[in-house]
Every structure is written in structure tokens, then in C-alpha cells.
Amino acid sequence: MPAVRTSFSIVYLIFLSVFPVLFSSFSAYYLYDYQDVLNTFSYNDLIILYICAGFTMALALTPTTFVAICSGYFLKDMAVFFVIPSYLLASIIGYYASNLIDQGNLLEQLSQKEKVKSFIYNLKERSFSFVVLSRISPVLPFALMNFVLAALKVRLKIFLLAGFIGMLPRTLLFIWVGSEAKGLVDALNNPNESYLTQLSVIVLVIISVLGISYIIGKAIRNS
């Protein structure tokens, strides 16, 4: 049974990595056809929409970048007040869904070797910084990291607070990208078109990679 659950966790992990990209490609053209309808949404409609987005982001149906760009395009600066609560909802749902699916089995399997167990313990000691840095990077899938961080048994309070701090820069960046776009499809297909956006993404990725590498390096040395 543990082996079956581990296999299921791995399959779910792959799904969380691949599916958001496929779904967003389809959704971009669907949204393009219904732009006029979306522009007529009331605040109540938007609240319902972003509650639904919380579930779709948590379950890897829509990438966070996709949601931020679309929100910026349709709502401009107001998008912040809808996207951030939706991200927090998605984080909570993703955290509990991952725990329900994995039930600590992946961590248990990895911890069978003493060296790996010690490494994971040292990594968890730096969980706040690790969560912040893993959320900063625009290239690390949101739903995938929900699973990884939940599997590492990061405490929910740290998961949410550190995740919020890490997600904020990339969220604001892509909301701005959407708000500046002349067309929705162009914004989604070429989100890094401007020099400033490219530079910002590179900086966020470098911060994330260097920071995570440093934390992992310290965890290895202390194992």
C-alpha cells in the first residue's frame, strides 16, 4: 500500500508540473473570444470568479502567471485586490489537497535513509526562507510547490506567510504586464516581451536559484 501511494504521489507531482501549461494554452483563446462578456462582470461576479480561480490554481488547472496576466489585462490595478486573496485561497486548498493525497508517505519513503532524513530535517529548519525563495521564482509551478512544501511538512502558518511574501513580487510583475498589454493573446504568448519584464524575471529567478542553492547547501553540510 505505501508503494502504491508513493506512485500515486509521483503521478500527481507530474500532473501538477505539466497540466497548467496545456490548460492555459487552451484558455487563452477561449478568454479572447469572450473578452466583452468578462468586461461586464460585477464585483459579485468577480468574487465568485476568483474563488473558482483559487480552486483551479490549487489543482493545477490554471497557472498563477496566467491568472495574474489576465487579471491585469481586464482589471488593471484593481486586480491586486482579487488576485492576492485568490492566491492565498489556492495555497490553503493546495496544501490540504496535497496532504490528503500524500498523507506523509513521500516524506516517510525519503526519510528511510538516515542521511536523507537528516538533510530534510535541516531543510525544514530553514523552511521560512525556503518557502519565500521557492515562491519568488516565476519558473517554479505554483501547484507543484504546494505539493512539495506540504510533503515536507512545512507548518501552515509559515507556508502561507512566507508564500505570500515570495509570491508578491512575481504577482505584481505579471499583473503589471497584463495591464500594459495591448492584446490578451499577445500578453499570454509573450509575457516577457519588454526589456524590463525580461530583466525582472531573470532577477527573480537568480534570487530564487542562488537562495535555494545556498539553503540546500547548508542543509547538506549539516546533515
Side-chain angles (χ1 to χ4, degrees):
M1 189 66 180
V4 173
R5 187 166 289 281
T6 301
S7 299
F8 186 68
S9 294
I10 292 171
V11 170
Y12 184 62
L13 204 61
I14 294 170
F15 169 82
L16 294 177
S17 304
V18 175
F19 196 78
V21 177
L22 300 177
F23 189 84
S24 62
S25 299
F26 164 78
S27 300
Y29 291 96
Y30 182 83
L31 286 173
Y32 178 78
D33 288 338
Y34 289 89
Q35 287 185 72
D36 293 338
V37 176
L38 290 170
N39 283 324
T40 65
F41 274 21
S42 67
Y43 280 108
N44 288 337
D45 294 330
L46 290 173
I47 289 170
I48 295 171
L49 178 65
Y50 280 94
I51 289 174
C52 293
F55 282 89
T56 61
M57 287 188 289
L59 302 176
L61 297 177
T62 47
T64 54
T65 300
F66 174 86
V67 172
I69 291 175
C70 291
S71 300
Y73 180 78
F74 287 108
L75 301 176
K76 307 303 180 186
D77 295 342
M78 285 295 296
V80 174
F81 299 104
F82 291 97
V83 174
I84 291 177
S86 185
Y87 278 0
L88 291 173
L89 175 62
S91 296
I92 294 170
I93 295 169
Y95 184 87
Y96 283 110
S98 299
N99 279 329
L100 181 64
I101 290 169
D102 183 61
Q103 296 183 9
N105 192 68
L106 192 60
L107 183 62
E108 183 182 336
Q109 294 295 316
L110 292 173
S111 300
Q112 288 181 0
K113 292 186 177 181
E114 194 60 37
K115 196 75 174 174
V116 177
K117 184 178 180 180
S118 178
F119 165 74
I120 292 173
Y121 172 79
N122 284 295
L123 188 61
K124 286 174 67 176
E125 287 291 297
R126 300 164 178 81
S127 57
F128 191 94
S129 299
F130 183 70
V131 174
V132 171
L133 291 165
S134 67
R135 290 302 202 195
I136 282 177
S137 174
V139 299
L140 288 177
F142 173 80
L144 172 66
M145 291 312 299
N146 281 343
F147 182 87
V148 170
L149 296 171
L152 288 173
K153 297 298 178 184
V154 173
R155 287 191 295 138
L156 180 60
K157 182 179 179 180
I158 292 176
F159 177 80
L160 292 176
L161 179 58
F164 170 77
I165 293 171
M167 284 291 295
L168 193 58
R170 60 188 267 193
T171 301
L172 296 177
L173 171 65
F174 287 109
I175 286 176
W176 175 78
V177 168
S179 69
E180 293 294 309
K182 293 182 174 63
L184 179 59
V185 173
D186 289 339
L188 291 169
N189 289 338
N190 303 291
N192 304 328
E193 192 173 49
S194 74
Y195 174 77
L196 179 59
T197 307
Q198 290 177 3
L199 181 61
S200 299
V201 169
I202 291 170
V203 168
L204 292 177
V205 171
I206 289 174
I207 291 172
S208 177
V209 170
L210 291 180
I212 290 175
S213 299
Y214 175 76
I215 290 173
I216 289 176
K218 286 201 73 173
I220 292 173
R221 287 193 296 272
N222 293 333
S223 299

